[in-house]
Each structure stands twice: as structure tokens, then as C-alpha cells.
Amino acid sequence: METQKMKDLIRKFNVCIERSKDHQAYSDFKEGVNKGLDIAKYTFEDNLEKLPLSDLEEDPAEKIRSLKNNFNQLLGGISISKKPNCSEQRLDGVYTGFEKSKRIFKDFITESFFPENT
């Protein structure tokens, strides 16, 4: 995939993530959600080349499902350990952020590659 197209996709996904953040997070849980969204954003950026975006000619529903599964696997491979200064609520928030980012990713892929399916 060409560099400019990758940069555009990263920028668009980052905007989607930033829109979903709670910019006035006032609890450990909400800060954790924001952290989970950030981790998802960086995971997308770091692994964009690994996602099978080149063969977008197949059935749109199947392609969306395939891309979503690949992204979910990337996030599923991340384990966050409880650190001394990380509360259980923040850790729960991180995993909630992961789940939220999965929904954001599905919407992002659908709108970016298959706008007729939205």
C-alpha cells in the first residue's frame, strides 16, 4: 500500500479514536478507557501493513468481518499487567477502551472502504 494512503488511513482512524475519548476523564475507569483507545490507535498504526487491505474486491460484508477479526486479534494479543500504581478500575477501563475501539474500527473500515454499506 502506498505511503500516502497509509498516512491518510492512520489520520482518519486517529480522528475517530480522538472523537470517542472522554476529554474530561475524572475517574480511573475513564482514564483507563482513554488509555485503551490510545493503545488501539497505536496498534493500528504499527500494524496497518499487516492488515489485508489490498484485496477489497471480495464480498464487502466478508471483507469487513475479516478486517475486524484481524484487528481484534491484534488487540487480543495485548496483555496489560496490573502495576502498583494502576487501580483495578483503570485496568478495567483499558479493556473497555479496547472493546470500544473494536466498534470504532468496524465503523471506520465500513465508512472508509465500503461507504455504500453504511
Side-chain angles (χ1 to χ4, degrees):
M1 179 179 294
E2 67 183 66
T3 305
Q4 188 58 45
K5 176 120 172 127
M6 287 176 59
K7 286 180 183 178
D8 289 344
L9 287 173
I10 290 168
R11 183 184 46 75
K12 285 171 73 175
F13 186 67
N14 288 350
V15 166
C16 293
I17 289 289
E18 290 300 319
R19 259 193 253 135
S20 298
K21 283 183 168 182
D22 185 344
H23 294 286
Q24 294 182 343
Y26 53 86
S27 68
D28 275 356
F29 179 78
K30 287 188 177 191
E31 287 179 13
V33 171
N34 285 347
K35 182 69 173 173
L37 290 169
D38 279 338
I39 291 169
K41 177 173 68 171
Y42 298 128
T43 299
F44 175 75
E45 186 174 334
D46 292 344
N47 294 284
L48 180 58
E49 291 180 350
K50 296 177 188 174
L51 294 173
L53 297 172
S54 59
D55 185 23
L56 295 174
E57 298 301 317
E58 58 186 70
D59 176 38
E62 181 58 36
K63 191 60 180 179
I64 291 168
R65 189 173 18 266
S66 173
L67 288 168
K68 182 179 167 227
N69 288 340
N70 285 327
F71 184 71
N72 292 354
Q73 284 180 336
L74 289 170
L75 289 180
I78 298 172
S79 65
I80 309 291
S81 60
K82 190 170 184 309
K83 297 177 181 167
N85 60 350
C86 179
S87 70
E88 195 66 40
Q89 290 83 16
R90 184 173 293 209
L91 197 56
D92 288 344
V94 169
Y95 287 108
T96 300
F98 283 178
E99 292 305 312
K100 191 173 183 179
S101 71
K102 290 174 184 179
R103 291 187 300 275
I104 293 167
F105 181 78
K106 181 180 183 267
D107 293 342
F108 163 75
I109 289 297
T110 303
E111 291 170 12
S112 295
F113 296 102
F114 308 103
E116 63 278 0
N117 289 350
T118 56

